[in-house]
């Protein structure tokens, strides 16, 4: 079981394809991210985004009131247009997590698209047990608010494009 997981959803008045085009443009994730913690993105692989696409993010996160700057290297692990995109992310900080994984799942529903954003953070069994409550306290609320803002940003962009 992951140390931390979060799930947020929203309904967007736009076709799933329009929304998928936005969330799968990894080079612009810093503009979409609601946390403000993703500063810059560099795509590391050539060609269109697909399974195996790698990218880096310069990030500045707040943990217990202190800023931590690092680079996170990510890889797209699921790419099913226009239904789901998922990537794993490995930050260059200690302790190293076993897995950090993000998803955007899109489902057409009643002329809109239901968008679910999910996150799982897994540091391995021992760290997950020891740090579950402190991590939720130190990062959980900020992450959840960032995800809500990401979905608001996505809704605004997608509905403008679909209009």
């Amino acid at each position: 079981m992951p140390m931390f997981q979060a799930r947020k959803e929203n309904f967007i008045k736009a076709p799933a394809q329009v929304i998928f085009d936005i969330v799968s443009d990894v080079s612009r994730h810093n503009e979409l991210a609601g946390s403000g913690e993703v500063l810059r993105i560099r795509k590391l692989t050539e060609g269109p985004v697909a399974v195996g696409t790698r990218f880096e993010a310069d990030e500045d996160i707040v943990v217990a009131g202190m800023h931590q700057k690092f680079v996170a290297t990510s890889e797209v692990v699921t790419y099913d247009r226009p239904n789901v995109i998922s990537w794993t992310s490995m930050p260059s900080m200690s302790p190293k997590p076993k897995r950090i994984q993000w998803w955007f799942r899109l489902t057409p529903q009643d002329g809109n698209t239901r968008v679910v954003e999910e996150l799982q953070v897994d540091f391995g069994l021992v760290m997950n047990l020891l740090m579950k409550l402190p991590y939720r306290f130190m990062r959980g609320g900020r992450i959840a608010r960032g995800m809500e803002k990401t979905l608001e940003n996505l809704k605004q962009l997608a509905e403008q494009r679909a209009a």
Side-chain angles (χ1 to χ4, degrees), residues 43-153:
K43 193 168 169 233
L44 301 175
T45 53
E46 297 295 322
V49 174
V51 170
T53 295
R54 294 174 44 87
F55 56 101
E56 286 182 336
D58 295 331
E59 298 189 30
D60 183 0
I61 69 170
V62 177
V63 178
M66 298 178 63
H67 285 266
Q68 291 185 352
K69 293 183 180 187
F70 58 88
V71 174
T73 304
S74 298
E75 182 174 344
V76 175
V77 294
T78 305
Y79 189 89
D80 177 16
R81 179 179 291 274
N83 305 304
V84 63
I85 184 169
S86 177
W87 62 94
T88 57
S89 184
M90 186 57 64
S92 61
M93 57 186 245
S94 290
K96 288 261 187 235
K98 182 177 175 185
R99 180 179 59 87
I100 297 175
Q101 188 165 353
W102 293 88
W103 289 265
F104 279 100
R105 300 179 196 279
L106 313 175
T107 307
Q109 194 168 9
D110 300 326
N112 299 315
T113 301
R114 180 173 161 246
V115 180
V116 176
E117 181 182 13
E118 295 179 72
L119 165 68
Q120 288 185 355
V121 178
D122 182 358
F123 275 84
L125 183 61
V126 174
M127 285 294 285
N128 287 352
L129 291 172
L130 293 175
M131 295 299 296
K132 188 171 195 125
L133 287 176
Y135 190 89
R136 183 172 297 281
F137 176 73
M138 292 185 299
R139 292 280 301 146
R142 187 175 185 93
I143 290 169
R145 286 187 301 277
M147 291 171 71
E148 288 169 354
K149 178 67 173 151
T150 295
L151 290 176
E152 289 172 21
N153 293 344

Side-chain angles (χ1 to χ4, degrees), residues 18 22 32 152-162:
V18 169
I22 295 168
L32 188 61
E152 289 172 21
N153 293 344
L154 178 58
K155 180 180 178 85
Q156 183 178 13
L157 286 168
E159 288 180 356
Q160 285 174 355
R161 286 189 188 181

